[in-house]
Amino acid sequence: MSSEIITARRVTKRFGALTAVDNVDYTLREHEVAGIIGSNGAGKTTFFNLLTGYFLPDEGTILHKGEDVTRMTPQQRVARGLMRTFQLTSTFDNLSVVDNLVLAFFRAHRNEEKIRAILDTFELEPVRERLVKNLSLGEKRRLEIAMAVLVEPEVLLLDEPLAGLAESEVRGVLDVLRRHIGRQTILIVEHKISHVKDFVERLTVMHEGRIIADGGYEECLRHPEVRRSYWQIDTPAPGEEAR
């Protein structure tokens, strides 16, 4: 079995009287492609913020390769190879595509060949000189992910990268991400289960701050609690007897 990259142990986060993440245990393994889904308010984004250091847990521990990173800043986690993209794109809109990539890569490598390869991989070569503010949302999302991939992180953490995209743009973003399967550990947080069903190897479903299912896509889809909480279906799954 591959080694553990990120481990959360009994992690809890409260906002006043609201418990957004409730005593969650979670493990992400090397080169795994995993997804976390849930309806609005399920706690998935808060949990993601705990993993990436933007929130600190009220209780519990977060480990990276066995080392306690619970109190580390997001910048310290990036330095350890944990690179996050945001639901709202964080590019420089008044610079060109290629200039955004140069800035993202400058500190790490200063290697123009790598930038040219990334432009090709993420299908950004035709728009390389275009100002980012003039890109479509799908092109901008591909650029943001390319900027994260460019610094060769050990773990790529994707916060709803498909939000707001048309179906054709969703396919484009997933196509470029698939090229990195096996090269990096990928964790994607998504609202729509249909978007990630053919991409992730393992799915985790959250509801009201807790993990209610974890496993393969079909396994999670059939889970009674997922059917009740995520789909609002209070009927037996196939093969179950009605009660």
Side-chain angles (χ1 to χ4, degrees):
M1 185 176 288
S2 56
S3 58
E4 296 181 3
I5 295 292
I6 297 176
T7 306
R9 294 178 178 164
R10 303 180 70 83
V11 170
T12 295
K13 180 64 179 178
R14 301 182 188 90
F15 298 100
L18 172 68
T19 302
V21 174
D22 189 2
N23 199 33
V24 166
D25 290 313
Y26 182 81
T27 298
L28 183 68
R29 297 188 177 277
E30 186 177 19
H31 293 157
E32 191 171 32
V33 179
I36 299 176
I37 68 159
S39 56
N40 289 330
K44 60 188 187 299
T45 298
T46 301
F47 181 59
F48 201 70
N49 284 330
L50 292 169
L51 295 181
T52 53
Y54 287 87
F55 292 158
L56 297 179
D58 295 308
E59 298 168 14
T61 305
I62 297 168
L63 306 175
H64 174 234
K65 290 181 157 181
E67 184 175 336
D68 191 339
V69 298
T70 310
R71 301 290 159 183
M72 283 190 183
T73 65
Q75 293 75 21
Q76 289 172 317
R77 298 186 203 205
V78 167
R80 293 179 63 92
L82 308 178
M83 179 63 74
R84 175 198 178 147
T85 69
F86 289 85
Q87 180 178 355
L88 300 175
T89 53
S90 50
T91 50
F92 296 95
D93 284 4
N94 289 314
L95 296 178
S96 69
V97 167
V98 70
D99 285 343
N100 268 270
L101 290 168
V102 168
L103 282 173
F105 202 54
F106 180 75
R107 286 186 303 171
H109 301 282
R110 305 186 189 186
N111 184 333
E112 290 186 13
E113 283 298 322
K114 185 65 181 282
I115 292 171
R116 281 196 284 269
I118 284 285
L119 282 166
D120 183 57
T121 298
F122 284 82
E123 300 172 4
L124 292 168
E125 182 63 41
V127 296
R128 59 174 289 156
E129 301 299 340
R130 189 176 299 172
L131 294 183
V132 169
K133 66 182 179 182
N134 296 325
L135 297 179
S136 71
L137 185 56
E139 291 166 339
K140 196 171 182 180
R141 202 62 52 81
R142 292 206 308 274
L143 171 60
E144 186 197 21
I145 297 169
M147 290 167 67
V149 167
L150 196 55
V151 296
E152 298 178 348
E154 182 180 49
V155 183
L156 187 59
L157 300 152
L158 302 164
D159 181 14
E160 298 202 26
L162 310 176
L165 301 186
E167 283 304 314
S168 59
E169 293 175 318
V170 167
R171 287 193 295 272
V173 170
L174 289 178
D175 283 346
V176 295
L177 283 174
R178 283 190 184 96
R179 298 174 195 176
H180 287 269
I181 292 176
R183 300 185 202 174
Q184 289 163 310
T185 305
I186 299 175
L187 177 61
I188 181 170
V189 169
E190 191 43 63
H191 179 65
K192 290 187 177 179
I193 192 170
S194 58
H195 283 165
V196 298
K197 67 176 183 178
D198 297 322
F199 178 67
V200 299
E201 301 164 339
R202 169 181 155 225
L203 195 63
T204 301
V205 185
M206 293 190 69
H207 179 66
E208 295 182 347
R210 290 178 173 269
I211 291 174
I212 59 172
D214 186 278
Y217 173 78
E218 293 295 336
E219 177 187 352
C220 286
L221 208 61
R222 292 193 300 267
H223 194 286
E225 190 60 32
V226 174
R227 292 167 65 80
R228 282 191 293 270
S229 302
Y230 188 79
W231 297 111
Q232 283 84 50
I233 299 172
D234 198 17
T235 57
E240 287 186 335
E241 292 183 4
R243 296 183 182 181

